Amino acid sequence: MGGKMAPLPHAGAITSHGGVSVKRREGRSTLGWQNPVGTEAAAQPPTQERQVSRRTVLKWAGAGALSLAAAPYVFVPRVSAQRQRTLRIIQWSHFVPAYDVWFDQYAKAWGEARGVQVTVDHIAFSDLVPRANAEVAAQQGHDLFMFISPPAAFEPYVLDMADVVQEVERRHGPILDLAKRSTYNPVTGKWFAFSDNYVPDPGCYLKSIWTGIGMPDGPSTWEDLLTAGRLIREKYPQVQIPVGIGLSQDIDSNMVCRALLWSFGGSVQDENEQVVLNSEATIQAVEFMRTLYREAMSPAVLSWDASSNNQAFNAGQTSYIVNSISAYRTAQENGLPVADDTFFVEALRGPAGQWACEHVMGAYFIWQFAQSPDLAKEFLIDLVDNYRDAVLASKLYNFPSFPGSVADPGVPVEERPAAGQAWIEEVCEDDPFGSVPANKLAPLKQALNWSTNVGHPGPANPAIGEVFDSFVLPDMFAKAATGALSPREAVAEADARVRQIFAKWRERGLVA
Amino acid sequence: MSVSSRLSRGGTIQRGEGLRLADRSDRLGALMAAPALLYVLVLVGIPFILALILAVSESTAGSLSFQFVGLRNFARVVGDPIFRRALRNTLVFTLISQGIVMVLATTLARILNTPFRGRRLVRFLILMPWVAPVALSSMAWVWIFDSTFSVINWTLRAVGLLGPREWLYWFGDPTLASIAIVTVHVWRMLPFSTVVLLAGLSSLPREVQEAAVVDGAGFFRRLLHVELPLLLPVLTVAVLFGMVFTATDLGVVYLLTRGGPYNTTHVLASYAFQQGVLGADLGQGAAIAVFLFPVLVLVAIGMLRVARGTEVGH
């Protein structure tokens, strides 16, 4: 800075030839730099304008840019040449924030005990798939990646987790069948993910309203729900949506639509991964939804996102939703009156059975390009060893995929699954987090009896994943419910979409 | 040595002195433009070429493999009723919102071109929607149009325009959801078009307008036969930008309706995201995404030709 300045043609002139004019006052320019002593310009009277050429501006700009570029190398201390072992984890921002606090502390302590630097990144659940795509494209990213639904589409690019599953089973007993069908591909024989937890999806109802219509214990069948919906609409006109079953492009709608479909005997695929959506059972389920929508719901459910049912429920604008307990826990923490009025029921029974989709399927996988795959596997095994703490940190939101992992210490392996299940029943009967009454969560204690995986009765596969992520089933139900298509047409259209998706993945050898 | 010292009185560079980069306008210009060109090449050009390659491949999410399938992805999406609806929505949302924007922007620009107390504040406020992050503003609109808690509905009910059993389910009805999307697009694009038209209005030769007044031209005659023809080049640029921004926008639809109810409000960008990224079918997603490109190129060329033809001297 401070290059030679040409003498000005005359005092006070505006610069020419593309120069920049800068007025100087008492040795300091209006741009704030100190006048360089000893230059020709320094001899100019304070009030005189000086000329700055284009070249000078470029020099300053260049010098500034170089300084900025060099600054980190000059001022930032060099990182120690000795590389520390690292483990990078990415997972969703849990619906029960206390779990994230516990997990982050656990991961940090785990790393400190082993001289490993562990970082945990939390992102919104809706960003998990785009983020995973980006990491594959870049061939770098996190060592452990957690999904909340089976990530079957990534199977070719992840490590086989069979050794992790075997080791955990050796310690705690077998994995749940529902978790296995969400993380194991029988066609390729590969465990493409490792499940530490699943989350039940019970019904939540407002006891005050249901008591008002003479059903204080809530519904137990889909037919009960329809009957109650009609009564609530009649008796409580201020409740905009008597029954809040989502029919939109969101995760909760995806889950509850499957619950209804299975309870009527329909499904997207059979046990052998063959498409069987277009069936009389499916048409009956769709017809039932059409009636339910017209007599007990409103078009609001067509536009819901994952939080809408909670909001409507907390505001008393709907009396029944299908959801996990996270909204209830939030209401409890915030002291909302709705918390005491919230009660739970098991999955509703239909003509063909009692089913609900797991609300969340926690599934970790390790990229083939992960930097620390062995550490990642070790971390997962140790995490399951501490799973009772995890369940309590989630305030009973997470249920273990290995029931034996929550058994008391010292229980022999062969007895651990039963002991773990007994503990789950115990905490559901006597909620340690202040439910009134204490057994409010009792309907969840046998959740395993009615919870199943997304691809029920078959396993997870990329085709089921795409059907899930493109919201084919909520669309099918919504079109029939609104009259955009007849039930038969809606089912036929959805079936065609599903077959197209299956054919594509079958060509790639990932579906039977 | 400074530039001025090396120039003769006639302004020519003295012989014998080599030209430095700073004195070479041609090379300096290229150097100055290089970062912008590099930006366009790296962040627009290369991804676009990748999209074209993906569109003729069978790529899936999480996949690095490439299998050429020709135009199969295009054939598949053309047969998809949701795609056809998304294409129609893209065109309808763009044309309707831009039509409304042009009418409102012209009106606003005329108002803001007239001196009045607080004009600077009003100009600042009008620019706010343009500078607000789309994710933030769309979330506000989500609440405004929420099917259960819409503030519009509560207001309409409070003033007696909605009965106790009446309710507008903004995002639950395809028509109302489309209206909501167009409304947000108009709100987003209006400031930009207004500022562009305001700049155009400010530069109109006053003599021409005064002559029209002297000749007895009324307001509409002056607007339609004097101002708008003179504003056409500027107007064209505003419309072109507005159309491109609206037709390629993902955020508004994705944040407001996510394409619902039952896939009736998807536009090409949101449907491409749903199929390509969320649905794991990158090939099909890319085919959907690039579908509008030739249409937009033709629109751009046509509009720029119109604008050029209306410039003085052409």
Side-chain angles (χ1 to χ4, degrees):
Chain A
M1 201 162 71
K4 280 190 176 180
M5 296 295 159
L8 291 167
H10 55 83
I14 305 298
T15 56
S16 57
H17 313 302
V20 178
S21 76
V22 182
K23 276 193 174 175
R24 298 174 64 240
R25 289 190 183 88
E26 297 179 357
R28 180 175 283 275
S29 81
T30 52
L31 293 183
W33 65 76
Q34 195 69 40
N35 183 37
V37 177
T39 63
E40 291 170 86
Q44 300 292 334
T47 54
Q48 193 175 19
E49 287 193 348
R50 56 186 271 197
Q51 185 184 29
V52 181
S53 71
R54 184 165 64 188
R55 184 184 303 135
T56 308
V57 172
L58 286 173
K59 280 180 184 170
W60 291 341
L66 279 175
S67 306
L68 280 173
Y73 300 96
V74 176
F75 297 112
V76 176
R78 295 272 177 164
V79 178
S80 167
Q82 192 179 9
R83 288 190 63 184
Q84 192 180 15
R85 293 195 303 165
T86 60
L87 177 66
R88 298 186 63 203
I89 304 169
I90 187 167
Q91 57 191 35
W92 69 322
S93 295
H94 202 283
F95 282 158
V96 177
Y99 179 82
D100 285 345
V101 174
W102 173 84
F103 186 90
D104 292 354
Q105 286 171 351
Y106 169 82
K108 188 180 175 190
W110 185 89
E112 283 171 354
R114 291 160 182 78
V116 177
Q117 187 184 354
V118 182
T119 55
V120 184
D121 295 323
H122 298 275
I123 60 174
F125 75 89
S126 55
D127 292 334
L128 288 169
V129 173
R131 181 59 182 257
N133 284 328
E135 295 202 357
V136 174
Q139 287 290 289
Q140 59 182 344
H142 295 80
D143 299 297
L144 265 181
F145 204 115
M146 184 211 174
F147 271 82
I148 62 168
S149 57
F154 295 101
E155 182 183 332
Y157 310 100
V158 298
L159 296 181
D160 192 340
M161 304 291 267
D163 49 351
V164 183
V165 175
Q166 284 163 9
E167 176 58 25
V168 175
E169 286 189 328
R170 191 184 65 77
R171 296 183 186 196
H172 300 290
I175 188 171
L176 293 177
D177 190 46
L178 119 93
K180 179 178 180 180
R181 279 188 284 132
S182 299
T183 53
Y184 175 73
N185 187 342
V187 176
T188 57
K190 182 174 181 177
W191 290 87
F192 55 84
F194 174 82
S195 174
D196 64 325
N197 79 90
Y198 79 101
V199 177
D201 204 23
C204 318
Y205 70 101
L206 292 176
K207 197 171 189 79
S208 58
I209 291 178
W210 282 72
T211 302
I213 57 163
M215 300 172 73
D217 296 328
S220 58
T221 66
W222 284 100
E223 206 57 46
D224 287 347
L225 192 66
L226 178 60
T227 306
R230 290 170 177 148
L231 293 171
I232 292 167
R233 174 162 278 175
E234 191 62 33
K235 188 167 182 180
Y236 298 97
Q238 74 276 18
V239 178
Q240 282 192 51
I241 315 153
V243 172
I245 303 293
L247 293 177
S248 66
Q249 325 222 19
D250 85 294
I251 190 168
D252 289 347
S253 301
N254 247 335
M255 301 297 184
V256 73
C257 285
R258 279 165 173 75
L260 175 65
L261 180 66
W262 297 329
S263 301
F264 274 74
S267 63
V268 173
Q269 65 174 6
D270 63 13
E271 297 88 340
N272 303 313
E273 303 183 45
Q274 302 303 307
V275 178
V276 292
L277 183 61
N278 196 348
S279 66
E280 282 305 312
T282 303
I283 292 168
Q284 282 175 18
V286 171
E287 283 172 345
F288 177 84
M289 180 62 90
R290 184 175 63 171
T291 308
L292 187 65
Y293 173 82
R294 291 180 178 178
E295 301 191 21
M297 301 211 279
S298 83
V301 300
L302 300 167
S303 63
W304 276 0
D305 61 25
S307 62
S308 301
N309 54 2
N310 297 338
Q311 289 159 357
F313 188 79
N314 286 349
Q317 292 298 325
T318 187
S319 74
Y320 176 90
I321 60 174
V322 175
N323 214 330
S324 66
I325 64 168
S326 59
Y328 165 64
R329 291 301 192 203
T330 305
Q332 259 188 319
E333 279 175 19
N334 295 333
L336 298 181
V338 72
D340 286 342
D341 199 19
T342 301
F343 281 74
F344 299 93
V345 289
E346 294 184 351
L348 300 182
R349 193 176 298 280
Q354 179 191 23
W355 290 112
C357 196
E358 31 75 8
H359 188 75
V360 162
M361 173 53 64
Y364 285 96
F365 63 66
I366 302 172
W367 296 122
Q368 286 172 346
F369 51 80
Q371 298 292 310
S372 309
D374 294 337
L375 277 177
K377 289 181 176 180
E378 189 183 338
F379 180 86
L380 288 177
I381 294 167
D382 290 344
L383 175 66
V384 178
D385 283 346
N386 291 277
Y387 221 75
R388 182 181 282 198
D389 291 344
V391 172
L392 291 173
S394 73
K395 299 185 176 178
L396 310 188
Y397 181 89
N398 287 16
F399 273 39
S401 294
F402 296 85
S405 64
V406 296
D408 287 331
V411 175
V413 175
E414 58 274 16
E415 296 171 20
R416 292 189 71 81
Q421 177 61 26
W423 180 79
I424 291 167
E425 292 179 18
E426 186 186 317
V427 288
C428 286
E429 282 286 358
D430 187 11
D431 180 17
F433 299 101
S435 286
V436 180
N439 68 345
K440 186 175 270 193
L441 302 183
L444 276 72
K445 67 183 182 184
Q446 296 296 337
L448 266 182
N449 292 345
W450 40 264
S451 296
T452 189
N453 61 305
V454 173
H456 172 85
N461 59 51
I464 282 293
E466 186 173 340
V467 171
F468 185 87
D469 290 329
S470 19
F471 307 104
V472 176
L473 293 193
D475 280 357
M476 175 181 78
F477 282 109
K479 282 176 178 166
T482 56
L485 293 176
S486 71
R488 204 166 284 277
E489 288 169 341
V491 173
E493 185 196 75
D495 183 78
R497 286 177 70 187
V498 169
R499 285 182 186 281
Q500 194 180 43
I501 292 169
F502 267 73
K504 184 179 68 185
W505 288 104
R506 194 165 278 131
E507 271 178 32
R508 294 168 195 176
L510 293 172
V511 175
Chain B
M1 185 169 284
S2 73
V3 174
S4 57
S5 66
R6 291 189 290 108
L7 290 178
S8 67
R9 283 176 186 276
T12 56
I13 297 171
Q14 290 171 358
R15 190 177 297 277
E17 292 189 24
L19 283 178
R20 296 190 186 181
L21 182 61
D23 304 319
R24 294 285 300 269
S25 293
D26 51 346
R27 291 191 184 177
L28 185 62
L31 187 69
M32 292 291 195
L37 288 174
L38 195 66
Y39 170 84
V40 171
L41 184 70
V42 173
L43 296 181
V44 180
I46 293 175
F48 178 69
I49 291 168
L50 280 176
L52 290 177
I53 293 171
L54 285 174
V56 293
S57 78
E58 214 174 36
S59 297
T60 58
S63 161
L64 295 171
S65 61
F66 174 86
Q67 188 185 344
F68 181 72
V69 294
L71 298 177
R72 199 167 79 185
N73 286 327
F74 291 96
R76 214 167 69 200
V77 297
V78 168
D80 177 359
I82 302 172
F83 167 79
R84 292 199 297 270
R85 177 88 184 217
L87 181 61
R88 198 190 82 182
N89 286 343
T90 305
L91 298 174
V92 169
F93 294 168
T94 303
L95 292 176
I96 293 180
S97 63
Q98 284 312 297
I100 297 171
V101 163
M102 279 305 115
V103 172
L104 294 179
T106 308
T107 310
L108 260 178
R110 285 191 62 85
I111 293 170
L112 294 176
N113 199 34
T114 312
F116 63 88
R117 192 180 173 87
R119 186 170 66 164
R120 285 187 174 187
L121 178 67
V122 174
R123 283 183 175 183
F124 170 74
L125 290 176
I126 282 179
L127 267 179
M128 288 297 284
W130 180 251
V131 296
V134 65
L136 199 65
S137 52
S138 289
M139 291 316 292
W141 283 105
V142 164
W143 276 101
I144 291 170
F145 287 118
D146 186 276
S147 291
T148 310
F149 304 105
S150 168
V151 69
I152 297 173
N153 290 359
W154 291 104
T155 307
L156 291 175
R157 181 168 283 179
V159 298
L161 292 175
L162 273 185
R165 292 254 179 188
E166 291 174 309
W167 199 252
L168 298 173
Y169 296 99
W170 289 98
F171 294 144
D173 176 83
T175 307
L176 290 175
S178 300
I179 291 172
I181 289 167
V182 168
T183 303
V184 177
H185 275 309
V186 169
W187 179 82
R188 282 268 302 156
M189 291 308 303
L190 184 59
F192 173 77
S193 299
T194 303
V195 169
V196 170
L197 285 175
L198 186 59
L201 270 180
S202 308
S203 65
L204 287 186
R206 186 167 290 277
E207 310 85 57
V208 179
Q209 298 184 66
E210 287 171 352
V213 173
V214 170
D215 287 345
F219 171 79
F220 285 106
R221 188 170 288 272
R222 287 204 312 277
L223 177 69
L224 297 174
H225 293 105
V226 178
E227 291 179 8
L228 283 183
L230 287 171
L231 279 175
L232 198 55
V234 175
L235 203 64
T236 307
V237 170
V239 172
L240 179 61
F241 271 73
M243 287 185 76
V244 172
F245 284 158
T246 308
T248 57
D249 181 75
L250 163 70
V252 171
V253 168
Y254 195 72
L255 290 168
L256 288 185
T257 66
R258 299 178 314 285
Y262 46 89
N263 286 320
T264 52
T265 60
H266 267 304
V267 289
L268 291 183
S270 62
Y271 193 48
F273 182 74
Q274 178 171 303
Q275 294 299 98
V277 178
L278 299 181
D281 191 339
L282 284 180
Q284 191 176 350
I288 296 167
V290 300
F291 208 89
L292 201 59
F293 177 71
V295 180
L296 285 176
V297 167
L298 288 177
V299 168
I301 291 172
M303 297 190 82
L304 290 174
R305 276 176 176 269
V306 170
R308 195 152 178 258
T310 56
E311 285 172 6
V312 177
H314 288 274

